[in-house]
mmCIF file of all heavy atoms in Angstrom:
data_model
loop_
_atom_site.group_PDB
_atom_site.id
_atom_site.type_symbol
_atom_site.label_atom_id
_atom_site.label_comp_id
_atom_site.label_asym_id
_atom_site.label_seq_id
_atom_site.Cartn_x
_atom_site.Cartn_y
_atom_site.Cartn_z
ATOM 1 N N PHE A 425 -4.692 -9.522 -8.619
ATOM 2 C CA PHE A 425 -4.927 -8.387 -7.729
ATOM 3 C C PHE A 425 -6.048 -8.714 -6.747
ATOM 4 O O PHE A 425 -7.057 -9.303 -7.106
ATOM 5 C CB PHE A 425 -5.337 -7.146 -8.532
ATOM 6 C CG PHE A 425 -4.205 -6.473 -9.253
ATOM 7 C CD1 PHE A 425 -3.671 -7.032 -10.403
ATOM 8 C CD2 PHE A 425 -3.684 -5.273 -8.796
ATOM 9 C CE1 PHE A 425 -2.626 -6.411 -11.081
ATOM 10 C CE2 PHE A 425 -2.646 -4.647 -9.465
ATOM 11 C CZ PHE A 425 -2.116 -5.214 -10.605
ATOM 12 N N GLN A 426 -5.851 -8.277 -5.505
ATOM 13 C CA GLN A 426 -6.912 -8.411 -4.526
ATOM 14 C C GLN A 426 -6.763 -7.333 -3.465
ATOM 15 O O GLN A 426 -5.649 -7.066 -2.993
ATOM 16 C CB GLN A 426 -6.896 -9.789 -3.860
ATOM 17 C CG GLN A 426 -7.900 -9.994 -2.749
ATOM 18 C CD GLN A 426 -9.354 -9.979 -3.196
ATOM 19 O OE1 GLN A 426 -9.760 -9.114 -3.983
ATOM 20 N NE2 GLN A 426 -10.147 -10.915 -2.717
ATOM 21 N N ALA A 427 -7.878 -6.681 -3.144
ATOM 22 C CA ALA A 427 -7.945 -5.790 -1.983
ATOM 23 C C ALA A 427 -8.387 -6.644 -0.811
ATOM 24 O O ALA A 427 -9.572 -6.984 -0.690
ATOM 25 C CB ALA A 427 -8.927 -4.648 -2.233
ATOM 26 N N LEU A 428 -7.456 -7.033 0.030
ATOM 27 C CA LEU A 428 -7.789 -7.927 1.134
ATOM 28 C C LEU A 428 -8.740 -7.262 2.116
ATOM 29 O O LEU A 428 -9.589 -7.929 2.727
ATOM 30 C CB LEU A 428 -6.512 -8.374 1.841
ATOM 31 C CG LEU A 428 -5.559 -9.217 0.991
ATOM 32 C CD1 LEU A 428 -4.279 -9.512 1.757
ATOM 33 C CD2 LEU A 428 -6.226 -10.509 0.533
ATOM 34 N N TYR A 429 -8.616 -5.952 2.244
ATOM 35 C CA TYR A 429 -9.555 -5.202 3.083
ATOM 36 C C TYR A 429 -10.360 -4.287 2.173
ATOM 37 O O TYR A 429 -9.798 -3.451 1.472
ATOM 38 C CB TYR A 429 -8.809 -4.391 4.140
ATOM 39 C CG TYR A 429 -9.726 -3.636 5.070
ATOM 40 C CD1 TYR A 429 -10.441 -4.315 6.059
ATOM 41 C CD2 TYR A 429 -9.901 -2.272 4.959
ATOM 42 C CE1 TYR A 429 -11.294 -3.627 6.915
ATOM 43 C CE2 TYR A 429 -10.748 -1.584 5.812
ATOM 44 C CZ TYR A 429 -11.442 -2.259 6.774
ATOM 45 O OH TYR A 429 -12.292 -1.584 7.623
ATOM 46 N N ASP A 430 -11.665 -4.477 2.154
ATOM 47 C CA ASP A 430 -12.534 -3.725 1.244
ATOM 48 C C ASP A 430 -13.713 -3.149 2.021
ATOM 49 O O ASP A 430 -14.757 -3.793 2.155
ATOM 50 C CB ASP A 430 -13.025 -4.637 0.115
ATOM 51 C CG ASP A 430 -13.945 -3.905 -0.862
ATOM 52 O OD1 ASP A 430 -14.089 -2.680 -0.735
ATOM 53 O OD2 ASP A 430 -14.515 -4.579 -1.739
ATOM 54 N N PRO A 431 -13.586 -1.934 2.550
ATOM 55 C CA PRO A 431 -14.681 -1.353 3.337
ATOM 56 C C PRO A 431 -15.885 -0.931 2.503
ATOM 57 O O PRO A 431 -16.912 -0.557 3.065
ATOM 58 C CB PRO A 431 -14.010 -0.135 3.995
ATOM 59 C CG PRO A 431 -12.909 0.233 3.065
ATOM 60 C CD PRO A 431 -12.409 -1.059 2.487
ATOM 61 N N THR A 432 -15.764 -0.976 1.175
ATOM 62 C CA THR A 432 -16.912 -0.628 0.324
ATOM 63 C C THR A 432 -17.839 -1.812 0.094
ATOM 64 O O THR A 432 -18.863 -1.676 -0.574
ATOM 65 C CB THR A 432 -16.428 -0.088 -1.042
ATOM 66 O OG1 THR A 432 -15.763 -1.142 -1.759
ATOM 67 C CG2 THR A 432 -15.476 1.074 -0.863
ATOM 68 N N SER A 433 -17.479 -2.976 0.612
ATOM 69 C CA SER A 433 -18.317 -4.167 0.458
ATOM 70 C C SER A 433 -18.532 -4.810 1.818
ATOM 71 O O SER A 433 -17.923 -4.410 2.818
ATOM 72 C CB SER A 433 -17.667 -5.175 -0.489
ATOM 73 O OG SER A 433 -16.646 -5.899 0.175
ATOM 74 N N ALA A 434 -19.384 -5.825 1.838
ATOM 75 C CA ALA A 434 -19.624 -6.563 3.080
ATOM 76 C C ALA A 434 -18.659 -7.719 3.252
ATOM 77 O O ALA A 434 -18.724 -8.448 4.239
ATOM 78 C CB ALA A 434 -21.063 -7.090 3.098
ATOM 79 N N ARG A 435 -17.724 -7.880 2.319
ATOM 80 C CA ARG A 435 -16.782 -8.988 2.383
ATOM 81 C C ARG A 435 -15.681 -8.703 3.407
ATOM 82 O O ARG A 435 -15.087 -7.633 3.398
ATOM 83 C CB ARG A 435 -16.181 -9.258 1.002
ATOM 84 C CG ARG A 435 -17.193 -9.764 -0.006
ATOM 85 C CD ARG A 435 -16.543 -10.068 -1.344
ATOM 86 N NE ARG A 435 -16.126 -8.870 -2.051
ATOM 87 C CZ ARG A 435 -16.927 -8.148 -2.844
ATOM 88 N NH1 ARG A 435 -18.193 -8.504 -3.016
ATOM 89 N NH2 ARG A 435 -16.470 -7.090 -3.471
ATOM 90 N N SER A 436 -15.421 -9.681 4.251
ATOM 91 C CA SER A 436 -14.409 -9.527 5.294
ATOM 92 C C SER A 436 -13.018 -9.806 4.728
ATOM 93 O O SER A 436 -12.857 -10.323 3.618
ATOM 94 C CB SER A 436 -14.689 -10.492 6.448
ATOM 95 O OG SER A 436 -14.471 -11.835 6.019
ATOM 96 N N ILE A 437 -12.005 -9.466 5.524
ATOM 97 C CA ILE A 437 -10.629 -9.793 5.151
ATOM 98 C C ILE A 437 -10.482 -11.298 4.942
ATOM 99 O O ILE A 437 -9.862 -11.750 3.975
ATOM 100 C CB ILE A 437 -9.644 -9.305 6.225
ATOM 101 C CG1 ILE A 437 -9.519 -7.778 6.187
ATOM 102 C CG2 ILE A 437 -8.266 -9.945 6.036
ATOM 103 C CD1 ILE A 437 -8.623 -7.205 7.249
ATOM 104 N N ASP A 438 -11.070 -12.085 5.826
ATOM 105 C CA ASP A 438 -10.953 -13.536 5.709
ATOM 106 C C ASP A 438 -11.606 -14.046 4.427
ATOM 107 O O ASP A 438 -11.060 -14.927 3.742
ATOM 108 C CB ASP A 438 -11.586 -14.217 6.912
ATOM 109 C CG ASP A 438 -10.821 -13.947 8.202
ATOM 110 O OD1 ASP A 438 -9.702 -13.390 8.123
ATOM 111 O OD2 ASP A 438 -11.335 -14.279 9.281
ATOM 112 N N GLN A 439 -12.759 -13.502 4.062
ATOM 113 C CA GLN A 439 -13.417 -13.896 2.814
ATOM 114 C C GLN A 439 -12.560 -13.525 1.613
ATOM 115 O O GLN A 439 -12.408 -14.314 0.669
ATOM 116 C CB GLN A 439 -14.788 -13.235 2.713
ATOM 117 C CG GLN A 439 -15.835 -13.808 3.639
ATOM 118 C CD GLN A 439 -17.130 -13.021 3.575
ATOM 119 O OE1 GLN A 439 -17.159 -11.814 3.786
ATOM 120 N NE2 GLN A 439 -18.215 -13.713 3.276
ATOM 121 N N ASN A 440 -12.013 -12.319 1.639
ATOM 122 C CA ASN A 440 -11.194 -11.874 0.512
ATOM 123 C C ASN A 440 -9.902 -12.670 0.403
ATOM 124 O O ASN A 440 -9.428 -12.961 -0.706
ATOM 125 C CB ASN A 440 -10.888 -10.379 0.636
ATOM 126 C CG ASN A 440 -12.061 -9.520 0.230
ATOM 127 O OD1 ASN A 440 -12.876 -9.914 -0.608
ATOM 128 N ND2 ASN A 440 -12.166 -8.336 0.818
ATOM 129 N N TYR A 441 -9.320 -13.013 1.541
ATOM 130 C CA TYR A 441 -8.102 -13.830 1.507
ATOM 131 C C TYR A 441 -8.411 -15.222 0.947
ATOM 132 O O TYR A 441 -7.662 -15.773 0.130
ATOM 133 C CB TYR A 441 -7.497 -13.952 2.904
ATOM 134 C CG TYR A 441 -6.057 -13.476 2.999
ATOM 135 C CD1 TYR A 441 -5.609 -12.764 4.106
ATOM 136 C CD2 TYR A 441 -5.137 -13.738 1.971
ATOM 137 C CE1 TYR A 441 -4.295 -12.326 4.206
ATOM 138 C CE2 TYR A 441 -3.823 -13.297 2.060
ATOM 139 C CZ TYR A 441 -3.410 -12.592 3.176
ATOM 140 O OH TYR A 441 -2.110 -12.164 3.252
ATOM 141 N N MET A 442 -9.523 -15.807 1.380
ATOM 142 C CA MET A 442 -9.884 -17.133 0.890
ATOM 143 C C MET A 442 -10.134 -17.099 -0.616
ATOM 144 O O MET A 442 -9.695 -18.005 -1.346
ATOM 145 C CB MET A 442 -11.128 -17.637 1.620
ATOM 146 C CG MET A 442 -11.408 -19.112 1.396
ATOM 147 S SD MET A 442 -10.077 -20.137 2.094
ATOM 148 C CE MET A 442 -10.597 -21.755 1.578
ATOM 149 N N ALA A 443 -10.827 -16.070 -1.103
ATOM 150 C CA ALA A 443 -11.053 -15.937 -2.541
ATOM 151 C C ALA A 443 -9.733 -15.827 -3.289
ATOM 152 O O ALA A 443 -9.550 -16.426 -4.362
ATOM 153 C CB ALA A 443 -11.932 -14.714 -2.815
ATOM 154 N N PHE A 444 -8.810 -15.092 -2.718
ATOM 155 C CA PHE A 444 -7.481 -14.933 -3.322
ATOM 156 C C PHE A 444 -6.747 -16.268 -3.404
ATOM 157 O O PHE A 444 -6.191 -16.627 -4.450
ATOM 158 C CB PHE A 444 -6.690 -13.914 -2.500
ATOM 159 C CG PHE A 444 -5.210 -13.948 -2.731
ATOM 160 C CD1 PHE A 444 -4.656 -13.433 -3.890
ATOM 161 C CD2 PHE A 444 -4.368 -14.505 -1.770
ATOM 162 C CE1 PHE A 444 -3.284 -13.469 -4.094
ATOM 163 C CE2 PHE A 444 -3.004 -14.534 -1.968
ATOM 164 C CZ PHE A 444 -2.460 -14.019 -3.137
ATOM 165 N N PHE A 445 -6.753 -17.039 -2.316
ATOM 166 C CA PHE A 445 -6.081 -18.344 -2.318
ATOM 167 C C PHE A 445 -6.705 -19.289 -3.344
ATOM 168 O O PHE A 445 -5.995 -19.987 -4.085
ATOM 169 C CB PHE A 445 -6.160 -18.986 -0.927
ATOM 170 C CG PHE A 445 -5.387 -18.270 0.142
ATOM 171 C CD1 PHE A 445 -5.921 -18.117 1.413
ATOM 172 C CD2 PHE A 445 -4.121 -17.753 -0.107
ATOM 173 C CE1 PHE A 445 -5.218 -17.458 2.413
ATOM 174 C CE2 PHE A 445 -3.401 -17.094 0.881
ATOM 175 C CZ PHE A 445 -3.955 -16.948 2.134
ATOM 176 N N ILE A 446 -8.033 -19.306 -3.401
ATOM 177 C CA ILE A 446 -8.713 -20.206 -4.333
ATOM 178 C C ILE A 446 -8.440 -19.788 -5.773
ATOM 179 O O ILE A 446 -8.226 -20.640 -6.650
ATOM 180 C CB ILE A 446 -10.221 -20.238 -4.050
ATOM 181 C CG1 ILE A 446 -10.477 -20.841 -2.662
ATOM 182 C CG2 ILE A 446 -10.972 -21.029 -5.110
ATOM 183 C CD1 ILE A 446 -11.925 -20.768 -2.216
ATOM 184 N N ALA A 447 -8.429 -18.480 -6.038
ATOM 185 C CA ALA A 447 -8.142 -18.007 -7.396
ATOM 186 C C ALA A 447 -6.726 -18.384 -7.809
ATOM 187 O O ALA A 447 -6.491 -18.823 -8.941
ATOM 188 C CB ALA A 447 -8.337 -16.494 -7.472
ATOM 189 N N ALA A 448 -5.765 -18.222 -6.887
ATOM 190 C CA ALA A 448 -4.383 -18.607 -7.198
ATOM 191 C C ALA A 448 -4.300 -20.088 -7.536
ATOM 192 O O ALA A 448 -3.632 -20.489 -8.503
ATOM 193 C CB ALA A 448 -3.471 -18.274 -6.016
ATOM 194 N N ARG A 449 -4.997 -20.917 -6.753
ATOM 195 C CA ARG A 449 -4.978 -22.349 -7.022
ATOM 196 C C ARG A 449 -5.653 -22.665 -8.363
ATOM 197 O O ARG A 449 -5.200 -23.552 -9.106
ATOM 198 C CB ARG A 449 -5.664 -23.097 -5.874
ATOM 199 C CG ARG A 449 -5.795 -24.610 -6.087
ATOM 200 C CD ARG A 449 -4.450 -25.271 -6.373
ATOM 201 N NE ARG A 449 -3.511 -25.142 -5.303
ATOM 202 C CZ ARG A 449 -3.379 -25.989 -4.288
ATOM 203 N NH1 ARG A 449 -4.180 -27.039 -4.195
ATOM 204 N NH2 ARG A 449 -2.452 -25.804 -3.375
ATOM 205 N N ALA A 450 -6.708 -21.946 -8.704
ATOM 206 C CA ALA A 450 -7.386 -22.180 -9.982
ATOM 207 C C ALA A 450 -6.442 -21.910 -11.152
ATOM 208 O O ALA A 450 -6.374 -22.699 -12.110
ATOM 209 C CB ALA A 450 -8.627 -21.290 -10.089
ATOM 210 N N PHE A 451 -5.701 -20.809 -11.078
ATOM 211 C CA PHE A 451 -4.746 -20.507 -12.150
ATOM 212 C C PHE A 451 -3.673 -21.592 -12.243
ATOM 213 O O PHE A 451 -3.277 -21.995 -13.346
ATOM 214 C CB PHE A 451 -4.113 -19.138 -11.924
ATOM 215 C CG PHE A 451 -5.009 -18.000 -12.292
ATOM 216 C CD1 PHE A 451 -5.474 -17.113 -11.325
ATOM 217 C CD2 PHE A 451 -5.405 -17.804 -13.611
ATOM 218 C CE1 PHE A 451 -6.299 -16.060 -11.660
ATOM 219 C CE2 PHE A 451 -6.225 -16.749 -13.960
ATOM 220 C CZ PHE A 451 -6.686 -15.883 -12.978
ATOM 221 N N ARG A 452 -3.217 -22.073 -11.109
ATOM 222 C CA ARG A 452 -2.189 -23.103 -11.100
ATOM 223 C C ARG A 452 -2.722 -24.416 -11.692
ATOM 224 O O ARG A 452 -2.075 -25.059 -12.526
ATOM 225 C CB ARG A 452 -1.708 -23.343 -9.678
ATOM 226 C CG ARG A 452 -0.567 -22.467 -9.259
ATOM 227 C CD ARG A 452 0.591 -22.683 -10.180
ATOM 228 N NE ARG A 452 1.765 -21.982 -9.735
ATOM 229 C CZ ARG A 452 2.730 -21.605 -10.534
ATOM 230 N NH1 ARG A 452 2.628 -21.839 -11.829
ATOM 231 N NH2 ARG A 452 3.785 -21.001 -10.077
ATOM 232 N N GLU A 453 -3.901 -24.816 -11.263
ATOM 233 C CA GLU A 453 -4.441 -26.093 -11.712
ATOM 234 C C GLU A 453 -4.807 -26.083 -13.200
ATOM 235 O O GLU A 453 -4.862 -27.142 -13.829
ATOM 236 C CB GLU A 453 -5.663 -26.468 -10.870
ATOM 237 C CG GLU A 453 -5.318 -26.843 -9.435
ATOM 238 C CD GLU A 453 -6.492 -27.426 -8.676
ATOM 239 O OE1 GLU A 453 -7.573 -27.591 -9.282
ATOM 240 O OE2 GLU A 453 -6.323 -27.706 -7.476
ATOM 241 N N TRP A 454 -5.057 -24.879 -13.756
ATOM 242 C CA TRP A 454 -5.434 -24.788 -15.160
ATOM 243 C C TRP A 454 -4.300 -24.270 -16.033
ATOM 244 O O TRP A 454 -4.535 -23.773 -17.126
ATOM 245 C CB TRP A 454 -6.701 -23.951 -15.317
ATOM 246 C CG TRP A 454 -7.886 -24.712 -14.787
ATOM 247 C CD1 TRP A 454 -8.470 -24.583 -13.566
ATOM 248 C CD2 TRP A 454 -8.575 -25.773 -15.454
ATOM 249 N NE1 TRP A 454 -9.494 -25.483 -13.419
ATOM 250 C CE2 TRP A 454 -9.590 -26.229 -14.568
ATOM 251 C CE3 TRP A 454 -8.457 -26.384 -16.709
ATOM 252 C CZ2 TRP A 454 -10.456 -27.272 -14.896
ATOM 253 C CZ3 TRP A 454 -9.324 -27.410 -17.032
ATOM 254 C CH2 TRP A 454 -10.311 -27.847 -16.137
ATOM 255 N N GLY A 455 -3.051 -24.399 -15.558
ATOM 256 C CA GLY A 455 -1.911 -24.302 -16.445
ATOM 257 C C GLY A 455 -1.211 -22.977 -16.585
ATOM 258 O O GLY A 455 -0.390 -22.815 -17.493
ATOM 259 N N ALA A 456 -1.475 -22.005 -15.700
ATOM 260 C CA ALA A 456 -0.732 -20.741 -15.779
ATOM 261 C C ALA A 456 0.747 -20.992 -15.517
ATOM 262 O O ALA A 456 1.120 -21.808 -14.668
ATOM 263 C CB ALA A 456 -1.278 -19.740 -14.768
ATOM 264 N N ASN A 457 1.594 -20.300 -16.256
ATOM 265 C CA ASN A 457 3.038 -20.442 -16.054
ATOM 266 C C ASN A 457 3.478 -19.865 -14.703
ATOM 267 O O ASN A 457 4.285 -20.466 -13.996
ATOM 268 C CB ASN A 457 3.801 -19.728 -17.171
ATOM 269 C CG ASN A 457 3.853 -20.531 -18.448
ATOM 270 O OD1 ASN A 457 3.519 -21.710 -18.467
ATOM 271 N ND2 ASN A 457 4.286 -19.893 -19.521
ATOM 272 N N TYR A 458 2.983 -18.672 -14.404
ATOM 273 C CA TYR A 458 3.366 -17.959 -13.186
ATOM 274 C C TYR A 458 2.117 -17.298 -12.609
ATOM 275 O O TYR A 458 1.221 -16.880 -13.348
ATOM 276 C CB TYR A 458 4.421 -16.880 -13.458
ATOM 277 C CG TYR A 458 5.695 -17.392 -14.078
ATOM 278 C CD1 TYR A 458 5.848 -17.420 -15.462
ATOM 279 C CD2 TYR A 458 6.741 -17.859 -13.283
ATOM 280 C CE1 TYR A 458 7.014 -17.893 -16.040
ATOM 281 C CE2 TYR A 458 7.909 -18.336 -13.853
ATOM 282 C CZ TYR A 458 8.037 -18.348 -15.230
ATOM 283 O OH TYR A 458 9.202 -18.830 -15.805
ATOM 284 N N VAL A 459 2.104 -17.145 -11.289
ATOM 285 C CA VAL A 459 1.046 -16.397 -10.611
ATOM 286 C C VAL A 459 1.709 -15.449 -9.621
ATOM 287 O O VAL A 459 2.305 -15.889 -8.626
ATOM 288 C CB VAL A 459 0.046 -17.310 -9.883
ATOM 289 C CG1 VAL A 459 -1.067 -16.466 -9.247
ATOM 290 C CG2 VAL A 459 -0.545 -18.349 -10.828
ATOM 291 N N THR A 460 1.629 -14.158 -9.912
ATOM 292 C CA THR A 460 2.177 -13.127 -9.035
ATOM 293 C C THR A 460 1.041 -12.479 -8.261
ATOM 294 O O THR A 460 0.066 -12.019 -8.861
ATOM 295 C CB THR A 460 2.925 -12.058 -9.841
ATOM 296 O OG1 THR A 460 4.034 -12.663 -10.521
ATOM 297 C CG2 THR A 460 3.436 -10.949 -8.933
ATOM 298 N N ALA A 461 1.144 -12.459 -6.946
ATOM 299 C CA ALA A 461 0.134 -11.808 -6.110
ATOM 300 C C ALA A 461 0.430 -10.315 -6.027
ATOM 301 O O ALA A 461 1.564 -9.916 -5.727
ATOM 302 C CB ALA A 461 0.146 -12.413 -4.715
#
Side-chain angles (χ1 to χ4, degrees):
F425 284 75
Q426 176 66 315
L428 296 176
Y429 182 74
D430 180 7
T432 66
S433 79
R435 294 182 289 274
S436 68
I437 288 177
D438 293 350
Q439 287 175 304
N440 282 331
Y441 237 141
M442 192 64 184
F444 162 75
F445 293 139
I446 295 173
R449 176 55 62 89
F451 283 115
R452 271 301 187 205
E453 290 189 3
W454 289 98
N457 281 348
Y458 302 92
V459 182
T460 298

